[in-house]
Every structure is written in structure tokens, then in C-alpha cells.
Amino acid sequence: MTAPADAVPERAEQSLRQTLLSPGYRRLLLLCVLLGVPVALACFFFVGFQHELQHWVWTSLPEAVGYDTPPWWWPLPALVLAGLVLAPIVTRMPGGGGHLPVDGLGGAPVGPRALPGAVLAALATLPLGVVLGPEAPLMAVGSGLALLAVRRRTGVDQRASAILATAGSTAAISTILGGPIAAAVLLIEGAGLAGTQLVALLLPCLLASATGALVFTGFGQWTGLKIGALSLPDLPPQAGPDAGDFLWGLPTAALIAVLVTLARALGRRTVTWTRHRTAARTVACATAVGVCVAAYALITGRNPAEAALSGQATLAQLAAHPHAWSVGALVALVACKGLAWGIALGSLRGGPIFPSVLLGAATALACSGLPGFGTTPALALGISAAAAAVTGLPLGSAVLAVLLMGRDAHDQMPLIVMASVVSFVVAQVVRRDGAGTRKAPATGAER
């Protein structure tokens, strides 16, 4: 005999209440609040140090040898060096330097044993211009520190350790996504949970990421260090989307999905190629990335750092001065950086989201000269479509675009949501390998 339909939600509510009021869960929430502080501090100094190294490689060092901006050939020795440094980390250190970026943000959270390799790979190669972002290494720092904190504690079971690792990863990535909201929505959409399980996992992640964001912001003000978080302080003039923006914008979102998916397909081919003779082929891939970045600078006469680095700084420049790039320069950026990104996805180490967002924005802005297609709507849909294609999370991608667009988001929201959905659907249709995407911090732990 089946229970009445209204009894199922009642039992679920009672189960949730029992979980929330249990002493073990309340201790877990308190531990997550405390965990957010050291995770945020570690992430702050990690990203700050990485940003300082990046500034030294692409600004201070060229000026020291007599160049106002890096010359077109500058990425070649930088990326060769990145490959030479990364090769022994990938082949000899535990964890292989972290997750492959072609898999999204990775699989299970990185444990303490694999953490040194992931941190070293990121700090040694991201500043040299490997066309990847800091989000995956940051999540490795968060999960690794969380698991390290509970390793010697008694009474912490496997499930609690997994939740803490997920909370640490979420706290870490929230520091560069502008706060806990975007990270929480990505978790909701990607965790594959429902009902009481979702709430029980979400609350620790929200507490840890909110505490971490507070500490991260405070230390940024106290120390004056720049951390290069994804933000758009200046935007094009506000303009609501009209029929022309939808007419051109939705096909543009589909185009962005195709480009991102093709780049990820190249990344998967690169993974297959680098499985044999990994060290030598890692160096070869890094060199190929350097050639692509140098080609962008040689073709356009612009700074090669625009194509070499993760993309948040260039995205902010595009948003503030969208007409400073010609259509040809934007096409060259998409082609050269897209090819470099595809190679890097399958061979180097870092995060895939930031570069894809820049590629989506550049593609949309290159199309914004079409009749009736505005700059502001193009920027909004480009961010949303690219994020949806690379993460497989249309809702979280739309929220990320809304947060980045700030005051312009209200008018752009219908276009942002539709672009995200179109991009997600097209990416699923185009992708043939059947491989899933990394969606949210996983609930397993790599010890």
C-alpha cells in the first residue's frame, strides 16, 4: 500500500529537520565557517602571488629589457619554459599536477597528497601564459586544505569528509567569482542531488564560501594586492535588447557553442596524443600554444598577453572599450587563442572557464556590428553562452553573466537566459564523444 502523496513531502521535511538539528551536522556547519578563513587566506596569497608573477613576466621584465609591451615573440620562450617546468610535475609528482582542464573543473576533490603538485604546476605555468585560468587550481587548494584539516580528526566519517572537501572547493572558487552566489548556483545545478541531500550539502558550502569571500575581500583592501578576480568594473552604455539582438544573438550563441565544443574536442585529441612520451609531448604542446599566441601578436600588432593569459583582464578591457578592437583583431583573438586553448585543455594544467568566457565575449562582439545587434547585449550573451558550453550548466552560467553585467543585467536577462539555453543545447548536439563535463565540486575525495 503506497503512502499518500502529501506524506512524501512531510517525511522529507522531517528528515531535513532531523539532519539540521543533529549535533554532528551543527558541528559540521561550524567547522565549515572556520574552514572558510584558512582556505580564503591560502587562496588569497596563491592568487596574489600568481598575479605578481604574471605582472613580472608580461610587464616588468619586458620594460626592464627595453620594451613598452612584450614583443610578438615573447610567448615563445615563456611557453617553452612552461612546458619544461610542467613535464616533470605531470610525470613524476603525485596527482600529475592536478586535473586535466578538458574535463572541466576535474573529478574528485584533490587530496593533500596531490596538492603540492597542483599548486606548483599552477604557480609555475599560469604566469607564463598557458591560456588557462586559476579556478581549477584554487579548487584543488580548497579541497586539499579541507581534507588535510580533517585527516587527523576522529569521528569524521567519509561522507562528512566529502562534504568538507566540497565546501573547501566551493569556498575557494567563490573568491574569484565575485562571492558565494555563483558558486552556490553552480553547486545546486551540478551536484546531481535533490531535496534534503541538496540542502544538507549546500548549507556547508554557502557558509564556507561566504566566510571565505569576506576574508578574501578584507585582505585585498588591507594588503593592496591585486588578485585578478573575474569582474567588469566598466561596461558599455546600458541598452535593452530588441528584436535585432535576439535575431542575431541566438545564432551567435549557437556559434559560440560550436567553437567552444570544437576546442574541447581538440583538447581530447591532445589528451590521447600526450598519453605516450608524456614529458616530451607536454613540452611540444606548450610550444604550440606559444606559437599560437605569438601569431596573434604578429597578425594584429597587439600585446600577446591578451591571448596568452587566462582572460579576465582582457575581458574587462573589452567591456570597458569594446570598439578598441577591430573586427579583424577580434577574429584573430578567437582563432589564435581558441586554438591555443584547445591544445592547452588536453596537455597543460589550469581552469577552462575564464578563457572560454573571453572567447565567447570576443566572438559576440565581433558579430555586434551586424544591423540591430548592440554591443551590450552581445557582451552579455557571449559570456553566458560560452560559460554554458564549457560547463554544461545553463542556469549557473546565466547567473554568472548576470552578476558580471551588474546594473545592465536586468534588461539583458531574457537574452542571457535564452543564449545560455541555446548554447547548452547546441553543445550537447555537436559533442560526439559522449564525455561529461565537470559541473560542481564532486563529493568524493582523492586521498
Side-chain angles (χ1 to χ4, degrees), residues 3-318:
D6 56 353
V8 176
E10 183 177 349
R11 285 202 301 267
E13 183 177 350
Q14 290 176 351
S15 175
L16 175 60
R17 180 179 176 82
Q18 291 174 356
T19 299
L20 296 181
L21 295 180
S22 64
Y25 188 75
R26 283 181 288 179
R27 286 195 299 268
L28 181 66
L29 292 181
L30 177 60
L31 186 56
C32 286
V33 172
L34 299 176
L35 180 67
V37 176
V39 167
L41 290 177
C43 291
F44 175 82
F45 288 109
F46 173 90
V47 179
F49 185 50
Q50 184 251 324
H51 189 273
E52 290 298 312
L53 288 176
Q54 176 180 297
H55 184 269
W56 182 79
V57 171
W58 296 95
T59 302
S60 300
L61 188 57
E63 290 176 353
V65 295
Y67 295 102
D68 293 333
T69 58
W72 68 268
W73 51 264
W74 195 264
L76 297 174
L79 269 299
V80 170
L81 178 60
L84 292 172
V85 171
L86 182 62
I89 298 175
V90 170
T91 55
R92 298 182 182 182
M93 294 192 70
H99 302 299
L100 279 169
V102 74
D103 295 327
L105 291 179
V110 172
R113 186 168 177 265
L115 181 58
V119 171
L120 183 59
L123 290 179
T125 63
L126 290 181
L128 294 173
V130 295
V131 198
L132 294 169
E135 58 271 21
L138 277 178
M139 293 180 69
V141 171
S143 64
L145 290 179
L147 292 173
L148 184 63
V150 300
R151 168 176 278 182
R152 300 183 182 279
R153 288 179 62 92
T154 58
V156 179
D157 58 20
Q158 186 69 23
R159 184 169 180 269
S161 296
I163 291 177
L164 285 170
T166 305
S169 294
T170 310
I173 198 173
S174 73
T175 58
I176 54 170
L177 292 181
I181 299 301
V185 173
L186 290 172
L187 176 72
I188 291 172
E189 192 172 10
L193 304 174
T196 60
Q197 286 183 303
L198 176 60
V199 176
L201 177 61
L202 179 61
L203 291 182
C205 295
L206 275 173
L207 285 173
S209 57
T211 306
L214 178 62
V215 173
F216 208 80
T217 303
F219 261 75
Q221 295 173 345
W222 298 334
T223 64
L225 289 175
K226 296 180 179 180
I227 48 88
L230 190 62
S231 62
L232 301 179
D234 298 303
L235 292 165
Q238 185 171 356
D242 54 23
D245 295 315
F246 283 90
L247 176 66
W248 296 115
L250 298 184
T252 300
L255 173 62
I256 291 169
V258 171
L259 294 176
V260 170
T261 305
L262 290 177
R264 296 188 70 220
L266 174 60
R268 297 198 178 279
R269 290 182 177 273
T270 306
V271 171
T272 303
W273 188 67
T274 55
R275 282 178 182 155
H276 305 285
R277 301 176 59 194
T278 301
R281 291 182 177 182
T282 296
V283 177
C285 288
T287 304
V289 170
V291 170
C292 294
V293 174
Y296 166 76
L298 191 60
I299 292 170
T300 63
R302 298 183 65 91
N303 192 331
E306 295 171 354
L309 302 179
S310 59
Q312 57 264 49
T314 306
L315 179 64
Q317 294 171 11
L318 273 177

Side-chain angles (χ1 to χ4, degrees), residues 331-354:
V331 171
L333 177 63
V334 172
C336 295
K337 189 179 182 73
L339 181 59
W341 181 60
I343 297 170
L345 285 175
S347 57
L348 307 181
R349 297 296 184 270
I353 296 178
F354 285 13

